[in-house]
Amino acid sequence: MSQPGGFSALLRAWRARLQPAAAGLPAGRRRTPGLRREEVAILAGLSADYVTQLEQGRADRPSEQVVAALARVLQLTALERDQLYVAAGLPAPLPRTVPTDIPGSVQRLVARMPDAAVGVYTSYWKLLTANPTWVALLGEVDPSRNLIFEEFTGSELCAVRTPAERDQLRRGLVSDLRATHVRYPRDPEVRSLVARLEQVSAPFARMWAESVMVGERPRLKTFTHPVVGPITLDCDVFTVVGTDLRILAYTAVPGSVDAARFQQVRALVSQPVG
């Protein structure tokens, strides 16, 4: 008997779930819910006998083309499609582009954290949106800005770092970009960013060629703000599950000199900076 999470069990369950009308088929008189095996076979370009063998666990190792056709016909979500691939003993297909859509829950989170400077980035560190405190600390959101490019080209930087901190941060950013490149090898923006950085930054080209993956990076960051001067903040990065988005949040230790300066920054939200 097939396992609950096995390929045959998934195929039967998802076939039974799909209503004929959703597949453009007449409902008619049916003894069981969902599509018939013959209908799935026709829509997927397979033989009815082969679909029966798959559902009964008598056919092993369906090809990638077969699994892709079944996922399409059964109208699976991306997560369900990946589950079907894995159950078939195949690697899940790589997504084509880096996610940039910001879920409503993340937008609400950003809006409801006025005491922190919060920015939302893609996995290759392109800034998508930020809250007013972030803007008061670091400037307006510019869709063309990329944190990795700015770090390696020296543009638009207001952070103060020691050479060791800069090296640690850069290696972390390169690791993030490499992981994104591996996961989304066909994303044109990622490929373009890597190509540009290899041309304009020798340190980036060297680190990229080393292919070393690291996870640690500085937790404290010091900025030189045009109004309040130097301010050191805690930096935390959170990954949004299922989207690959990064939420970067800056906060100050309560009662510290930096907290007082950060309060001055937050007071600038409704005022022009500079």
Side-chain angles (χ1 to χ4, degrees):
M1 185 172 179
S2 60
Q3 297 298 315
F7 186 88
S8 58
L10 292 174
L11 192 56
R12 290 196 306 272
W14 287 332
R15 175 174 64 80
R17 181 186 68 181
L18 185 62
Q19 295 303 308
L25 299 171
R29 296 177 60 87
R30 294 172 181 261
R31 292 177 296 176
T32 57
L35 300 187
R36 301 185 179 96
R37 287 174 179 165
E38 295 78 6
E39 292 169 333
V40 170
I42 292 172
L43 293 173
L46 305 171
S47 71
D49 182 60
Y50 184 52
V51 171
T52 299
Q53 291 179 41
L54 288 173
E55 286 201 0
Q56 294 177 348
R58 294 187 290 114
D60 294 328
R61 298 290 180 179
S63 68
E64 181 178 347
Q65 291 75 15
V66 167
V67 177
L70 291 171
R72 172 182 53 80
V73 169
L74 297 174
Q75 301 179 21
L76 303 185
T77 66
L79 186 59
E80 291 170 342
R81 177 206 61 198
D82 291 351
Q83 187 179 357
L84 192 64
Y85 268 80
V86 172
L90 297 168
L94 292 170
R96 290 183 176 273
T97 57
V98 175
T100 58
D101 292 332
I102 304 174
S105 58
V106 174
Q107 296 183 43
R108 291 191 296 272
L109 178 66
V110 173
R112 293 174 183 177
M113 295 179 67
D115 291 340
V118 184
V120 180
Y121 286 86
T122 65
S123 60
Y124 62 97
W125 292 105
K126 176 182 178 180
L127 183 60
L128 298 175
T129 189
N131 68 355
T133 302
W134 174 286
V135 174
L137 177 67
L138 297 169
E140 295 289 340
V141 175
D142 182 349
S144 67
R145 292 178 63 177
N146 179 277
L147 182 61
I148 305 176
F149 191 84
E150 291 176 357
E151 175 59 41
F152 279 96
T153 61
S155 59
E156 302 297 331
L157 292 177
C158 62
V160 179
R161 305 187 184 93
T162 66
E165 289 172 339
R166 170 149 292 177
D167 183 74
Q168 184 184 26
L169 174 64
R170 286 183 169 186
R171 291 186 181 279
L173 292 174
V174 171
S175 291
D176 289 343
L177 183 57
R178 182 174 298 283
T180 299
H181 188 265
V182 169
R183 181 164 172 75
Y184 306 94
R186 292 172 286 185
D187 188 291
E189 285 201 41
V190 174
R191 297 172 67 177
S192 174
L193 177 61
V194 172
R196 283 193 298 149
L197 281 168
E198 284 185 310
Q199 289 180 344
V200 302
S201 173
F204 173 85
R206 183 178 65 254
M207 291 182 184
W208 186 258
E210 290 173 357
S211 302
V212 176
M213 301 288 283
V214 299
E216 294 298 320
R217 61 210 65 202
R219 290 290 305 276
L220 292 176
K221 291 192 178 180
T222 299
F223 300 97
T224 301
H225 192 274
V227 175
V228 306
I231 177 173
T232 299
L233 302 171
D234 286 309
C235 174
D236 291 286
V237 180
F238 308 94
T239 301
V240 182
V241 176
T243 69
D244 264 353
L245 296 178
R246 311 289 174 84
I247 299 177
L248 196 156
Y250 291 112
T251 57
V253 177
S256 66
V257 173
D258 293 300
R261 291 176 178 169
F262 197 34
Q263 177 59 40
Q264 290 180 266
V265 171
R266 293 198 296 274
L268 298 170
V269 168
S270 59
Q271 305 172 20
V273 177

